[in-house]
Amino acid sequence: MNSHCEPGIGRSNPPQEIASSLKAPRNDTKHMEYTYYPGCSLHSSAPAYEKSSQAVMKAIGAKLNELEDWNCCGATAYMSIKELTAFSISARNLALAKKQAPNHDVVAPCSGCFVGLTKANKYINEFPEIKEKVNVALAEAGLEYDGSVKVRHLLDIIVNDFGVDKIKAMVKRPLTGLKVACYYGCQIIRPKTPLDDPEEPKHLEELIAALGATPTHYPMKANCCGGSIMGTEENIGMMLSRNVLDCAAKYGAECLVCPCPLCQMNLDAYQKPINRKFKKDINLPILYFTQLIGLALGLPPKELGFGSELVSADDIVRRFS
Amino acid sequence: MKEQKGIQREGRLTLDFIDEMKQIPGGEQIALCIQCGTCSGSCPTSHLMTHTPRRLIAMTRAGMRKEVLESPDIWLCTSCYYCYVRCPRGIKVTDLMYAYKRLSARDKFGIQKRGYKLGKIFMSVVNKYGRNNELELLAKFFGFANPIGGIKNTFIGLGLFLKGRLPLKTHKIKDLGGFKKIVNKAEELARLP
């Protein structure tokens, strides 16, 4: 199982140079304003992501207006049992967003929310019968939705609207020498999103390199951590998370950054049980990419939610603050 | 679990299963499958399945409705969407897996599966507050559906709790009444043929 993960073997040997996949950033970064959809995880199990996202967005001068009275996006679990209801509750959020600020994009930092809202949008636009039924349901609460709100991931905003070069210029404490495994997981890049390549994404590496750190190129960066299977079939979930952690560690990473609260939970909270079960000795702090941006921009670690991870990142914080 | 062996007699098959799948938005693509196996090769859990995604599609076209919907394999889909982006025929394989799960839940084939129980409990929590309450979800899921897993994971839960990552307070959305009306109407509409 692990042979493809040994350094030097496999499809993704360290590229000599990352060809830039970035679009030119928007010029009007002074007026970056978005409707913010935090999602349930950021208000409970992922406070570090919420804190660091807010701090970083404030530092780069982007305004986040939280969506008034937002509800759960439905996630993968709802979709597995009732599809139309899942689309309808996602559409409630989008209808509210349209009402609150018709010209602002919705920003979701959670990959699960991002894919849930995007999928509802896609089906509403692609299938007229779904659009009609969703609107009949929404009308019960006096709402309507035409499918026109754009949903975007936080990483997309930072990389494509603000721009990696501008982040680079703002770095106060470069993370020199820190080897970072960039982990995308699944739902931020798949099914096909305009953000990045579904198989070989690069945005996170470019961002991390701009902070002065060294991205570790390892083959498992876009593979699955197990997602919600960790609860239902723990052995399988732990095996999938093990593959990611083991691979990142073998390629020499000192920490791993991810853009999703569920990935963070699986890789962080289950790291000890994984070590026990598979007789491993992995010690890889799992951070949100926004926490490292904040650290490099010189923001106080407390404002970035450091300390809430189960695998301690204290050494890294001490080194760079 | 034993593999299905031997001859399937026509009388036991549901030959209109493929038509049923075609009714689902996006499901009509199932006819395009060339059985290349890219989906199964890309799947992170297919090596643990008896019926891999490719095979489930073949079984659907052969009319093996009961075998497909009873299969625990459909609940092993982690929703990673590798099959979806790699399918050379553009079939939304991940969405097909979701459709299998929903049919399996609706027709009571899969109600013993933990994946179904997680979804059901997740739905009940969301319908109650408008948002997910992770503490209640975990307590109910591990309590009712997976007690052994619950015992194994006590320390993880405790660790998260001590780090402030499992807050006790519950948050209800303001327009919970309107939210519930949307849910009820959507469920009513989904029941219509």
Side-chain angles (χ1 to χ4, degrees):
Chain A
M1 190 63 218
N2 280 328
S3 59
H4 65 288
C5 194
E6 299 292 342
I9 304 173
R11 65 182 163 91
S12 182
N13 285 330
Q16 295 307 309
E17 204 178 297
I18 319 172
S20 181
S21 58
L22 302 175
K23 292 169 250 166
R26 277 169 34 156
N27 294 323
D28 55 340
T29 42
K30 270 185 189 158
H31 303 292
M32 283 170 58
E33 201 172 343
Y34 305 94
T35 303
Y36 176 56
Y37 178 83
C40 306
S41 294
L42 268 76
H43 277 199
S44 56
S45 62
Y49 201 9
E50 162 94 347
K51 277 187 195 166
S52 55
S53 301
Q54 297 272 12
V56 166
M57 289 306 264
K58 199 177 153 198
I60 66 172
K63 201 166 174 227
L64 294 180
N65 307 314
E66 186 166 327
L67 177 62
E68 185 65 27
D69 208 33
W70 56 270
N71 58 265
C72 169
C73 68
T76 53
Y78 218 116
M79 181 68 71
S80 305
I81 316 282
K82 304 243 159 126
E83 184 181 48
L84 189 65
T85 323
F87 288 152
S88 301
I89 64 174
S90 271
R92 177 180 180 271
N93 290 315
L94 298 169
L96 290 173
K98 175 102 187 173
K99 236 166 121 182
Q100 185 170 315
N103 298 320
H104 291 170
D105 293 349
V106 170
V107 179
C110 168
S111 301
C113 300
F114 170 68
V115 89
L117 298 174
T118 309
K119 199 168 179 179
N121 243 351
K122 189 173 157 53
Y123 272 80
I124 286 169
N125 283 315
E126 227 170 81
F127 299 98
E129 70 272 24
I130 289 185
K131 188 175 187 172
E132 195 193 317
K133 283 181 182 169
V134 163
N135 272 295
V136 173
L138 288 178
E140 291 285 305
L143 295 168
E144 58 171 340
Y145 181 57
D146 58 357
S148 64
V149 174
K150 223 171 149 193
V151 182
R152 302 175 63 193
H153 195 280
L154 185 70
L155 179 63
D156 184 13
I157 302 295
I158 293 175
V159 168
N160 289 322
D161 283 9
F162 190 70
V164 169
D165 289 342
K166 280 195 199 139
I167 294 267
K168 197 173 181 174
M170 285 175 72
V171 170
K172 290 206 181 81
R173 279 193 300 244
L175 309 176
T176 316
L178 184 67
K179 289 181 202 142
V180 183
C182 299
Y183 179 63
Y184 293 81
C186 306
Q187 310 204 330
I188 187 173
I189 41 170
R190 291 186 299 269
K192 212 167 167 44
T193 64
L195 172 63
D196 214 333
D197 187 86
E199 307 251 2
E200 287 287 339
K202 291 179 189 139
H203 283 10
L204 213 42
E205 274 93 343
E206 283 163 333
L207 180 63
I208 293 301
L211 305 177
T214 315
T216 310
H217 294 283
Y218 68 114
M220 301 288 282
K221 65 179 178 181
N223 285 54
C224 182
C225 71
S228 61
I229 249 197
M230 194 64 98
T232 53
E233 299 293 340
E234 196 178 83
N235 289 338
I236 302 175
M238 276 165 69
M239 189 190 71
L240 295 174
S241 276
R242 189 259 337 244
N243 293 348
V244 172
L245 288 168
D246 200 30
C247 185
K250 270 189 184 143
Y251 275 78
E254 292 169 86
C255 70
L256 181 147
V257 291
C258 63
C260 171
L262 188 57
C263 300
Q264 202 277 347
M265 174 71 87
N266 284 348
L267 299 175
D268 180 35
Y270 281 86
Q271 203 171 118
K272 244 191 196 170
I274 285 170
N275 277 335
R276 223 176 300 133
K277 186 175 162 77
F278 298 103
K279 301 194 172 52
K280 296 276 173 189
D281 190 22
I282 302 164
N283 183 22
L284 207 59
I286 313 295
L287 302 169
Y288 294 106
F289 70 102
T290 41
Q291 287 179 291
L292 279 196
I293 300 177
L295 206 58
L297 297 187
L299 304 175
K302 262 214 167 140
E303 276 181 31
L304 300 168
F306 280 102
S308 68
E309 63 282 344
L310 296 191
V311 179
S312 170
D314 288 353
D315 284 347
I316 293 168
V317 176
R318 235 175 280 130
R319 243 165 85 190
F320 298 104
S321 59
Chain B
M1 190 179 41
K2 265 193 176 164
E3 220 176 288
Q4 291 291 330
K5 288 226 167 88
I7 303 163
Q8 289 284 332
R9 305 207 179 270
E10 264 187 28
R12 286 193 55 220
L13 299 174
T14 318
L15 294 174
D16 55 359
F17 186 30
I18 182 157
D19 298 324
E20 192 181 356
M21 290 302 288
K22 281 183 184 170
Q23 294 301 312
I24 295 159
E28 68 285 350
Q29 292 166 315
I30 198 166
L32 301 176
C33 177
I34 51 169
Q35 290 287 298
C36 68
T38 302
C39 47
S40 301
S42 306
C43 178
T45 55
S46 65
H47 63 292
L48 302 162
M49 294 176 176
T50 306
H51 307 309
T52 61
R54 176 200 60 78
R55 196 154 157 175
L56 287 168
I57 292 176
M59 287 163 73
T60 304
R61 300 204 292 204
M64 296 163 74
R65 187 175 195 277
K66 186 165 170 282
E67 287 82 354
V68 169
L69 298 185
E70 261 179 2
S71 162
D73 303 324
I74 56 180
W75 298 95
L76 291 189
C77 170
T78 61
S79 192
C80 78
Y81 291 100
Y82 258 123
C83 50
Y84 185 120
V85 297
R86 285 182 178 171
C87 175
R89 299 292 278 160
I91 301 171
K92 295 171 178 161
V93 187
T94 312
D95 289 356
L96 277 184
M97 293 297 140
Y98 275 119
Y100 287 140
K101 288 181 197 177
R102 286 192 300 271
L103 278 179
S104 165
R106 192 196 69 188
D107 292 356
K108 310 271 186 274
F109 284 106
I111 49 175
Q112 289 309 317
K113 308 286 191 300
R114 280 193 207 137
Y116 169 77
K117 288 178 183 169
L118 177 69
K120 196 82 186 157
I121 293 168
F122 183 88
M123 271 172 50
S124 75
V125 172
V126 170
N127 290 350
K128 191 163 147 196
Y129 302 113
R131 290 186 192 169
N132 182 16
N133 180 311
E134 283 170 339
L135 191 62
E136 188 169 328
L137 173 73
L138 294 177
K140 281 188 175 163
F141 173 69
F142 283 116
F144 293 129
N146 191 2
I148 296 167
I151 294 164
K152 275 202 254 172
N153 291 326
T154 315
F155 285 105
I156 295 178
L158 197 65
L160 292 170
F161 180 75
L162 293 174
K163 295 275 184 186
R165 288 171 64 179
L166 274 181
L168 293 172
K169 72 169 185 352
T170 54
H171 187 101
K172 269 188 197 169
I173 61 168
K174 280 183 223 151
D175 187 23
L176 192 57
F179 177 82
K180 282 183 177 168
K181 277 186 199 161
I182 294 174
V183 169
N184 291 338
K185 192 73 188 176
E187 288 189 0
E188 188 191 314
L189 290 172
R191 275 193 295 271
L192 296 176

